[in-house]
Each structure stands twice: as structure tokens, then as C-alpha cells.
Amino acid sequence: MKTPGRPFRALASTIYGPNAGRINRGEGFTPRTGSREVFIRHLLLAASALAAAPALGQTVKPGEPPITATTQASGGPIDAERAALRLEHVDLAIEVFPATQRLQGTATLTLATSAPQTRLLVDLDKNLPVSAVSVDGVALQRGAWSNPEGRIAIALPRPLGAGSKAVVRIVYGGTPHVAVRAPWDDGIVWSTTPDGKPWVATTAEGYGCDLFWPCLDFPAGEPGSVDLHITVPKGLSAPSNGLLRKVDTLADGRTTWHWQARSPNPYSVALNIAPYKEVTGTYASRFGPRIPMTYWYLPGREAKAQALFAEFGPALDFFEAMIGPYPWHDEKLGVVETPHLGMEHQTINAYGNNYKKTASGFDEIFQHELAHEWFGNQMSAANWDDYWLHEGYAQYMQPLYGRWREGEARYASMMDDFRNQIRNQAPIVRGQIMTEEQVYQEELGGPAGDIYVKGAWVLHTLRNLIGDKDFWEVTRRLVYGRPDPKPGNFQPRFSTTPEYIGIVNEVTGKDLGWFFDVYLREAALPELVETRTGNRLELSWKTPGDKPFPLPVEVEVDGKLQTVPMTGGRGSLAVPEGAHVVVDPASRILKRSLAVEALQKAQLGD
């Protein structure tokens, strides 16, 4: 998401709606875990659906060869020779054949290395056989490359020295892995519009970019720039990342769409093919640029498309006001209707929420994926273990947008929905190099949906602890690497949890490591123990491993608000005997709740 905004892996690992588990054929459809589901109001109801849901592991289409463990893994520990590579540019020419569900591609990769190399390792699903390879314009013999497990090993004609480059051209093609339950599963979606026309899309966050193009399948494998040439049958469009340079019409009516994008996350390079119509406009940024906006939608949905497009400007204004400049003002804000729920594909976010309405008054899938342009695409985590920085922030921007639009009541309602989803089965951050699946799959020991909803509540608690001024400065430094972003003075960047904690400490002038040690590195929540005797209220924090946790607590006594410092994790307050006392009356703190635990247990039928 850089975004498991797989968008849903953009919302939590829960299932929403009566159509969960179905491939969308133009009417109803299927969410996936995390940044992708129908974001309805009562998220707790999804917990009971999750208990009866099929396992979240990826599947294969009947008759399709099993996907290899190498292709299945995205991210994780990277060996030294792969880590030394940097993908400076990729020129990717792909022709898509919906009638036969095949594709043919030629990828020209400009690779730089910081260490000597005698071979190059490039990720590509072996379901897409390689027919030709050249290095610096010299064709290699067939025995010079192999791909037994989903990683092409290319023997170099001559060794590469540290600091040198090679241009590698790979010709490949075949039947790509099919996303059987997109976006729960990754791969290509071969769908049809309501009137039977091809409707094709890709989702690749979980298994990675190697499902349909040769790439470096780890977050730091992000290409510096991409030229995409997508050829599709007559009558179809192919919106994708970045700027549209031109559309060539071939003699038989096929068209080739040339897109150019800078610094896309590897999994956010996307194919979208359908007989799309467009609605376009321009947003006048508060930072100066005029930003082109386009929504590609299916014919026959004009009124709904126009209504969704009307949300683009206000949502963009919110993000620019709260965080800073839209990072891709020189390209576009693009959204495309897809046969799956959604995904944060840079400047061409996937949208498949079927224009559903919620009490919040805005389309939460659209808004969530837009958040990833800042949290995931501009600022990317180099390790999946730090993806709470993508999803926690993107999730938290939703109630903050509700607050921007309607005030505190909407904010509180949305935060309450999130609170009821938090599962606390694993720490949000484990301090290890992780694969995507290890983070998003609860059955693999990952935090799964907690990187969304618990991440949002951690940020809520942090904002209330340090105040809005410091919180938004921390956020800007995280996203842009500086507190004063303006168009042209920042570049896409990678970040980590330790860097984020360092930013918080620098901005606040305090060591808040204790805060993150408990909230991010422990599964269990801190518990606030209250004891009232006579005219005294005693409070103490109980934490896993008795970790320090001096988080102040607000207490309301007969309508009067006071703050208890909690030095050393303990505090006390004189209260008149018989006074009405409410601890943390504004719910500013993420803490253990016996009521929530009981409700979750009841929802699961225990």
C-alpha cells in the first residue's frame, strides 16, 4: 500500500456484506482482508462472519498449476545479491487477450547494483514462461536463464561491478495466476460487464508484482520510473498509473495505451481493461498546482459515477489541509471501477464498492484508497512489519474526515466501530523482516486487521496525548521527510517504525518509547485498574511484562474534568464521597475493555 491498503487489506481482516466471497460480475461482490471490504457501519458484525468464513489463504483456479512458495512470498528476508539491486526504470509492454485469458509481455529493466553480480535474480511467476532474454542488447542462449520456482536466474555474459548497470530485456507470456476471490486473492480478474464485454483487472499486494511482470518483489524493489504500453482489443480502454502519453490505434482496431509513472510501489502497477467511460475535472490545490482528476467507470452508471466524482475534490482538500500537498500533482488523481473491492494503485486507485452508502455520508472505500497516496505511495514502509504506518494512518483518516465534515459525534461513532473490531491476537510490530502474508494472515501469527483498527486507535491515543499541533507535524515529517512540504521540495520516501518513534520524540521533546513499546510491540492492551475507597480514587496501569506506562488519564468528577498525571503508572485523585466519577469520559485512550471482550465473545457464539 508501500499499502495489506491491499485496500482492504484496506480495512481489517473481516468480511462485509451478504456477497462476501463472490467474484463481482457487475452487480454484487467480494471484499478481501484489510484494505478492501465493503466498509459498512457496524464493523463488529463482521467478526461473526469471519468466524464462519473460509480460510484467508490464496487459492488457484481449477486446473491451474499450484503457485510456488517463492511467488507466494512478497517481501521477507532478502538475500544480499537481490538487496544490492535497484530498479531504476522499467519499460513494460503487455498485450492482454481477454478471450483466451492470456497475456504476452516484454519487460525492459534498467538495473543498478551496489555489489558485484555474476547473475541477476528477477521475480516472475513460472506460469508465465520466458522465451527470450537479452542483456545490454546481446541476446542470451536459452541455457543462460532458468526459472524453476518463480525467480528467474539470469547468468550474465560478463560480471557486473559495484556501481554499474545492466539493461535486461525479458520476453514472456502465458496464462497468469487467476484471483479466484479477488481481492481476497491476488492475480488477474477475468470478469465481464453487465452487457458481456471484457472487464479485466489485477490485484497483486499479497503475492506481489511477479504475478504478471518481471520485478523485484519486495517493497524497496520499487522502480524509479515506469513506462507502460498496454495493448487491448478494439473498443476497450486501459487506464493505468501516471500520465497518459498517447494512445495508438493499430490497423485491426486494437489500441496501445502508453502511460508514464514515477516511483510506483511494485504491487501498485496495475492493469485495468474495460469499455470505460470517463468523467474528468481539475482540482485547484491550496498549494498552487491544478491537479487533473479522472474517474473511469462502466457505461450505464453515469449518475452514480458523477456522484462519486463529486467526492474527489472535497476529499483531496481535506488531505491537503490536514497533511500537505497531493504527492502526484504532476500526474493525476485517478480512480477506476474494478470487478473487485479496491486497492491503492498509485494514481489509478481501484474502486469496486458499487456506490454503497453509509451513515458517514461519504464513500469509505474511495476515501481509504485515496489516503494511501500519502500513506503507502508517497511514504512507503520498506518492511511489511511496518505496514501499520500505511493502514493505521489510512484507517484513522476516515473518522478524521468524518470529524472534518460533521464534527465530534461522527468521529466518535466511527472510532467506536473500529474499537469493537480490535482483536489483540498479535503485536502490530514484531521487529522482524516480514512477508505480506505473515502480516495479513492471523492464522500465520500476524496482526491482520489490527494494523488497521488498532493502528487507528494508537494514533487516536497519541494525538490526544501530544496534541494536534505536534501530531500533524509528526505526520508531515513521516510522509514528506520534512515539516514544510511544498510541491517540488520532497520526494517519495521509505520509513520504519523506529524512525517514526524518533520523529515523535524529536517533535515533542520527550522520550515516548514507553508508549509504543506497549501499544505496538505487545498484543495485549494496557489495563486501567480503578479502586475507589472513601474519598479517594486510585488508578494504576497494568501492562504486559509490567512495562512502564505513565499515560495520563482524564477523570470527570461531578461534571468537572481533571487530568491525573500517572507518574510511574499510578495516580490518585480526591473525590467527594458519593460523587459521580467517569474515567476517560471522552474515550481518548486505547485500553482493555471487558465489555468489548464480552461482546466479541458473544458475536463469535462462545
Side-chain angles (χ1 to χ4, degrees):
M1 154 312 29
K2 301 176 178 180
T3 178
R6 304 174 202 184
F8 275 132
R9 292 180 196 224
L11 230 195
S13 57
T14 47
I15 300 172
Y16 297 83
N19 295 319
R22 278 201 309 152
I23 294 178
N24 186 3
R25 297 298 176 187
E27 43 200 322
F29 97 82
T30 173
R32 90 202 227 181
T33 147
S35 190
R36 17 154 124 113
E37 56 274 86
V38 182
F39 198 155
I40 60 175
R41 298 314 313 136
H42 299 291
L43 302 183
L44 180 57
L45 296 179
S48 59
L50 180 63
L56 298 183
Q58 308 274 348
T59 59
V60 297
K61 183 179 179 181
E64 180 182 330
I67 200 161
T68 68
T70 299
T71 297
Q72 182 173 349
S74 183
I78 309 298
D79 56 73
E81 61 182 325
R82 292 179 69 220
L85 295 176
R86 184 165 62 90
L87 184 52
E88 292 189 345
H89 179 257
V90 56
D91 187 287
L92 184 59
I94 295 181
E95 182 163 8
V96 180
F97 304 94
T100 57
Q101 298 190 354
R102 295 175 61 83
L103 61 79
Q104 182 67 40
T106 299
T108 304
L109 313 178
T110 302
L111 291 160
T113 180
S114 61
Q117 303 274 359
T118 59
R119 64 174 184 170
L120 296 175
L121 299 176
V122 178
D123 296 297
L124 181 65
D125 186 357
K126 70 175 189 175
N127 289 337
L128 300 172
V130 174
S131 58
V133 177
S134 67
V135 177
D136 293 330
V138 178
L140 304 185
Q141 297 296 315
R142 284 189 174 270
W145 73 84
S146 63
N147 186 14
E149 294 297 330
R151 182 165 297 143
I152 312 168
I154 302 170
L156 291 167
R158 62 185 64 82
L160 286 177
S164 59
K165 299 179 184 180
V167 178
V168 181
R169 182 175 181 269
I170 300 170
V171 181
Y172 66 100
T175 302
H177 178 68
V178 173
V180 177
R181 298 176 302 152
W184 294 89
D185 300 329
D186 292 307
I188 196 162
V189 180
W190 303 105
S191 188
T192 55
T193 64
D195 60 351
K197 301 291 177 56
W199 190 13
V200 182
T202 53
T203 72
E205 188 180 24
Y207 285 176
C209 47
D210 50 342
L211 289 177
F212 69 99
W213 65 281
C215 62
L216 302 180
D217 186 19
F218 47 91
E222 173 179 299
S225 61
V226 174
D227 280 274
L228 280 162
H229 310 268
I230 307 167
T231 301
V232 297
K234 181 179 180 179
L236 302 181
S237 302
S240 193
N241 312 86
L243 281 174
L244 180 62
R245 289 305 185 187
K246 63 176 179 175
V247 179
D248 291 326
T249 301
L250 307 181
D252 61 357
R254 289 176 298 147
T255 53
T256 299
W257 300 65
H258 178 193
W259 295 91
Q260 199 167 63
R262 58 182 173 89
S263 192
N265 189 292
Y267 73 77
S268 77
V269 174
L271 302 179
N272 303 282
I273 299 161
Y276 287 116
K277 298 186 72 173
E278 301 176 21
V279 55
T280 62
T282 302
Y283 170 77
S285 169
R286 61 179 59 217
F287 294 95
R290 295 182 66 82
I291 302 171
M293 304 184 298
T294 303
Y295 177 45
W296 285 267
Y297 64 94
L298 294 186
R301 303 181 180 183
E302 284 77 8
K304 291 181 177 181
Q306 289 284 356
L308 180 64
F309 186 72
E311 296 191 31
F312 284 26
L316 188 49
D317 187 54
F318 160 75
F319 283 109
E320 287 207 324
M322 302 304 292
I323 306 167
Y326 179 66
W328 319 105
H329 66 88
D330 54 339
E331 295 184 355
K332 68 178 183 300
L333 189 166
V335 179
V336 59
E337 190 169 5
T338 56
H340 61 84
L341 186 66
M343 180 63 64
E344 64 275 17
H345 296 150
Q346 185 173 305
T347 71
I348 190 67
N349 285 331
Y351 172 85
N353 197 29
N354 285 327
Y355 309 99
K356 289 183 170 61
K357 303 299 182 184
T358 67
S360 68
F362 61 93
D363 194 299
E364 294 169 357
I365 292 294
F366 159 72
Q367 198 265 0
H368 180 99
E369 303 313 332
L370 181 59
H372 281 304
E373 298 288 20
W374 287 264
F375 306 102
N377 295 336
Q378 163 59 28
M379 179 282 300
S380 302
N383 175 10
W384 284 101
D385 191 42
D386 297 317
Y387 264 55
W388 78 276
L389 292 172
H390 293 200
E391 301 299 355
Y393 256 107
Q395 193 82 351
Y396 189 43
M397 295 307 291
Q398 295 206 317
L400 286 171
Y401 188 42
R403 180 174 177 247
W404 170 273
R405 288 164 50 91
E406 296 183 64
E408 294 294 341
R410 179 62 61 202
Y411 176 85
S413 173
M414 298 179 77
M415 290 302 299
D416 188 56
D417 282 341
F418 294 171
R419 178 62 186 89
N420 292 335
Q421 277 199 23
I422 298 172
R423 293 173 59 81
N424 302 309
Q425 299 299 303
I428 292 178
V429 175
R430 287 177 281 180
Q432 304 171 24
I433 304 297
M434 310 295 288
T435 68
E436 191 270 1
E437 295 292 305
Q438 288 173 324
V439 173
Y440 282 103
Q441 300 289 343
E442 190 173 286
E443 59 268 40
L444 296 180
D450 274 5
I451 66 174
Y452 297 82
V453 287
K454 187 173 181 178
W457 262 87
V458 170
L459 294 170
H460 163 79
T461 306
L462 178 66
R463 184 175 69 84
N464 281 292
L465 173 64
I466 68 177
D468 277 5
K469 180 178 179 295
D470 282 355
F471 178 80
W472 291 114
E473 181 173 341
V474 165
T475 302
R476 280 187 288 275
R477 288 177 182 265
L478 167 71
V479 171
Y480 302 102
R482 58 189 303 159
D484 58 343
K486 297 177 179 63
N489 75 353
F490 60 88
Q491 294 294 324
R493 66 187 306 271
F494 289 95
S495 189
T496 65
T497 298
E499 185 198 41
Y500 182 74
I501 296 170
I503 293 171
V504 172
N505 291 343
E506 180 182 355
V507 170
T508 62
K510 301 174 182 178
D511 183 357
L512 296 181
W514 55 268
F515 179 94
F516 297 101
D517 281 346
V518 170
Y519 278 129
L520 298 183
R521 298 189 177 102
E522 297 289 344
L525 292 175
E527 181 177 358
L528 185 58
V529 180
E530 307 172 25
T531 305
R532 185 173 175 183
T533 306
N535 64 351
R536 198 120 201 117
L537 173 67
E538 302 285 342
L539 300 174
S540 63
W541 283 112
K542 180 179 179 182
T543 60
D546 293 323
K547 287 186 172 183
F549 198 68
L551 184 66
V553 179
E554 289 182 342
V555 179
E556 186 179 87
V557 180
D558 283 338
K560 181 180 179 181
L561 191 65
Q562 303 179 59
T563 299
V564 181
M566 301 297 289
T567 304
R570 294 179 176 274
S572 65
L573 186 68
V575 297
E577 191 168 353
H580 179 64
V581 175
V582 181
V583 176
D584 188 25
S587 295
R588 300 187 189 278
I589 298 174
L590 175 60
K591 57 188 179 297
R592 186 183 182 193
S593 168
L594 296 178
V596 170
E597 291 176 11
L599 180 59
Q600 290 178 338
K601 185 176 181 180
Q603 290 288 340
L604 293 172
D606 294 344

